[in-house]
Amino acid sequence: MEGISLEHFLIVGLLVFALGLYTVLTRKNAIGILMGVELILNAANINYIAFARYGGASIDGQVFAIFVIMLAAAEAAIGLAIVLGIYQNFDSIDVEATDSLRY
Amino acid sequence: MEITTVSYLRWIPLLPLLGAAVNGLGGSVIQKRFGKNAISAIAVTPVVLAFLIAVRGFLQLKGLDPEHRFLLDDVWRWIDIGTLKADVAFWLDPLSCVMILVITGIGGLIHIYSTGYMHEDEAYWRFFAYLNLFTFAMLTLVLGDSLLLMFVGWEGVGLCSFALIGFWWTEQINTTAGNKAFIVNRVGDFGFILGIFLIFWSLDAAGHGSVVFRDIQHHAVSLEGRTIWGLPVVVLATLFFFVGATGKSAQIPLYVWLPDAMQGPTPVSALIHAATMVTAGVYMIARLNFLYAMAPETLAVVAGIGAATAFFAATIGLVQNDIKRVLAYSTVSQLGYMFVAMGVGAYAAGVFHLVTHAFFKACLFLGSGSVIHGMSGEQDMRKMGGLKDKMPTTFWTFLVATLALTGTPLTSGFFSKDEILWKAFSSPYGSATLWIIGVCGAGMTACYMFRQVFMTFFGETRADHHVVHHIHESPGSMTMPLVILAIGSILVGYLGVPEFLGGGNRFEAWLEPVFASGHEMAAHASHEAGLEWTLMLISVAVAATGFLIAYVLYYRHAASPDAIAEVAGGVPYRVLYNKYYVDELYWAVFIRGTLLLSRILAWFDGAIVDGIVNGVASLTVAISWLDGLFDNRVIDGLVNLLADFTYNVGSRMRRMQTGNINAYLYVIVGTVTLVLLARLF
Amino acid sequence: MPEVSLSVVVFYAFAVLTVGSAAAVAFSSNIVYSAFALMGTLFGVAALYVFLAADFVAAAQVLIYIGGILVLILFAVMLTHRIANIEVSNRSVGRLPAAIVVGGVAGMMGYAVHHTPWPVVASLPDAPSTYAVGNGFLGPYVLPFEFASFVLLSVLIGAIVISRKELKS
């Protein structure tokens, strides 16, 4: 499509990544942090697909993107299981409450 | 000089050594098992055998030409370093032949005497072991062919003398006497050693270094004119040797040990301090006569000291009360005569007197031993008297020996002493002064000897009651040697009858080859027969006067001895009785001086040396304290610092573990960013 | 008026949707709002995949991400509902330092994107990509594919193990 170049997609991916990073760094809610991680993963996926399309007419990018999605799912499952475990033990999902390993 | 090599001479000293070894090592066992007779057999046999071998040597020498009468028995190589070569080799020439006959002959008789005299003693085997050892040492001294081997014998006799004087060592007075003998001898030996060194070095510098007598004689001329520290070498060396002689032969100033040596058993006094050891000094000068002939100054010293000693000792002998002390001072005096002879170049006369003196002095000592034995140990003459009838053999032999000692005409002592007095007057080295001193000494000799005879044998018995009952004549083993020696005292003299009396003076002729160089000098002496007769008669008259004085005072008891003692306020008597306080002088000067020196050195050692050592120790302690300080403060400080640093850093670093996930994520992001930035730029 | 293609407009619309929803996720203080904004983001991304002729991936995105992960997140949100105030259930702290860091990273990456001469080559044909993706999975990437199944199995077991309640005995 004319007018839309690789860079546009990359910029989108960049912005999503930045926002995801911001989320990860600032959120106190454990699930909020996980959502930030999902944003980062999606940003990476956008990059993969964009390069698959514009960078060599190769299908590898999409295959990788599938993998990423799959692993994101796995990771989300585990992460949320952990959050539930934390919730059972600490009675809160505030990450500032889980500082038992503090000096 | 033609030397004949033989191989039997070594047995002469060796046999007594074997006897000493057997008795010394196994004596106590043998004595217990087999009794004292076995010990006697082991001890006497070697000496008798040695005598027989000596006779054989004598006969062999006699068979040779007078110029070639030299036998050499080279046993083994002892020292061979550079130019110093000394073998264990025995040298028989007329001089040493005379000596060994005297030593083994009279020594043998004394050994036999001792079997009787020491019969009651439990340490019988030890006595004979020492006696044999002494005989071995004396024979080595006389037969040694080099200065070094002679010195071995020289030291050996000194050692055995010490051992025998202090034989009854449980009494301190005996051991003290032994110590005195050894130490005073040592002083003399020091001079002897210096003499050996000087001779060897000087000869070595001249290219003929040797200590063997015949070599020294051969090269003696190379020493003429050599000086060391401004003094002629020969004079210095002969003086050093003479110092050794004064020690061994009890001359002024080293005579002080001989009277004290009477603490030993009487056979010891007879053998060692009359017949043999004390004659070693005379023998040494005779052996080195060729050196002394080159040093007239030393000869003058020798003669002077000899004469002074002869006179000096005789004066002390006049007032002694111990029967053996009188004889001891008599020995010192007679040795003085021998040295006078050596000092005027009359070597043969001196050796002749040595031989005759050995006979009659040994007889006198053994006789006194017999008296002491009969008197149950009493030695003070003031407690004796009237023994003439109770101990006849002892008395007659004693009387004969006394006659010989005082120079009664027709006895051996007469010929030998007269020869000396004549030579003292007539030799180019002699003088009238020496003769006068000698004659006065002879007069005093007669006086004190007959005093001794009268006090001991004549008159009423002054002994204690219980002693009187036990007075008895001595057994045959003791009287037989006395008889033999008394006979010898008379007969031996006839070997040396001088020409002016008609004899051939065979003794002097016999010794001629040895003293050839010495006699060259003496040949310049005068030979007026008339003068000889006159002087001889004067000396006999003086001796007779001495006899008369003794007769009057001690036989007729014209004046009480106590009254005599009070003459001139008792001072002369006290001075003589206390031996001129010489021993006290030595004690004050030398002994106390040495003790003072040792005290000073001990203080030095304690205060300064120990002070230094302690100071070093304190310093070490101080340094180690400093070290400890350093270790504690600095090193431990460093280690602690390190640990504290680690702890502090750790306690600060652990604050990174906040437990806050966001913080961790910051760190991750931050790090990745930095890495990327680095890669980018 | 310059000729603007329709696709460009649609692209920008979807791009705005994506980024805006992401912003909502980042800045909202209500957890439920964030969750639903996440859904918007995921839809937008799926649309962008369609633009990039990755139809299979788009479908997978919608099915798995929205249908699976998002639902999971919502479950988790509901299960942990004992939060005092649902309105302020998603606070954020340390905004300024994060903003600086993020700004820095984004700036740097933007610079990289802009200044790198991307080699643009012929693009993929606009054709269904399912066939090619399937070939890829069973061809060159069969090992990761099989491995992934293991991963999922282990995740399954792990999630159960982690989240079961401890028996209080």
Side-chain angles (χ1 to χ4, degrees), chain B residues 662 666 669-670 672-673 676-677 680-681, chain C residues 93-94 97-99 101 105 108 111-112:
Chain B
N662 297 78
Y666 264 116
V669 171
V672 172
T673 313
L676 284 173
L677 277 170
L680 210 52
F681 298 112
Chain C
V93 289
V101 172
V105 172
M108 190 177 66
Y111 177 85

Side-chain angles (χ1 to χ4, degrees), chain A residues 3-12 46-47 49-55, chain C residues 11 52 113 116-120:
Chain A
I4 306 297
S5 68
L6 178 64
E7 285 190 16
H8 291 86
F9 286 101
L10 293 185
I11 298 291
V12 171
I46 294 176
N47 260 20
I49 306 291
F51 276 114
R53 165 96 170 147
Y54 286 102
Chain C
F11 166 76
L52 290 169
V113 164
T116 312
W118 299 110
V120 179

